[in-house]
Amino acid sequence: MIVYNTTFQIDRDILDDCLTYIKEEYLPAAIASGSLSKPVLRRILHAHNEEGESYAVQFHVANTDVLNQWLSSEGNRIVQALVDHFGDKIVGFTTLLEEIEWEKG
């Protein structure tokens, strides 16, 4: 299982509108195909400044092949729509995380 994490820095003057967009547009569109699951939106503590705040959006995905297929078929379009909507008031970077089992047996 892979966790697809995108961290966004969002300018304070669009913060409320952007969070609403993420909750009502971005997350539902991202999971619509079924390739991504378990969407989570988290505020990053102690990572804000005068201009804005940081938030992480995370999804579970079976593997990198499924993720790459999703990105090429619809994911890049969904991300671009977010950027087009808010312009340079939002920036982000993506990290892939691998879940590691740690509990015994």
Side-chain angles (χ1 to χ4, degrees):
M1 182 66 57
I2 302 292
V3 175
Y4 174 57
N5 178 86
T6 304
T7 300
F8 293 107
Q9 173 69 27
I10 305 169
D11 283 9
R12 192 169 309 289
D13 61 336
I14 64 154
L15 186 59
D16 291 338
D17 289 340
C18 188
L19 291 175
T20 298
Y21 183 93
I22 289 171
K23 292 175 191 176
E24 295 178 1
E25 304 290 332
Y26 182 84
L27 293 175
I31 62 170
S33 70
S35 295
L36 305 182
S37 64
K38 299 181 182 178
V40 176
L41 173 63
R42 294 185 166 104
R43 184 168 61 95
I44 298 174
L45 300 176
H46 307 294
H48 60 278
N49 56 42
E50 290 181 19
E51 291 87 36
E53 295 188 24
S54 295
Y55 287 80
V57 174
Q58 297 179 336
F59 302 95
H60 284 191
V61 61
N63 55 55
T64 56
D65 290 336
V66 172
L67 177 60
N68 289 331
Q69 174 61 34
W70 177 81
L71 285 169
S72 65
S73 67
E74 59 195 279
N76 290 328
R77 177 185 51 79
I78 293 166
V79 172
Q80 189 61 50
L82 176 68
V83 172
D84 290 347
H85 193 83
F86 294 104
D88 64 355
K89 302 277 186 171
I90 185 171
V91 294
F93 66 92
T94 299
T95 309
L96 297 182
L97 309 168
E98 180 180 17
E99 288 193 13
I100 307 298
E101 295 294 326
W102 63 273
E103 295 178 315
K104 291 185 178 180

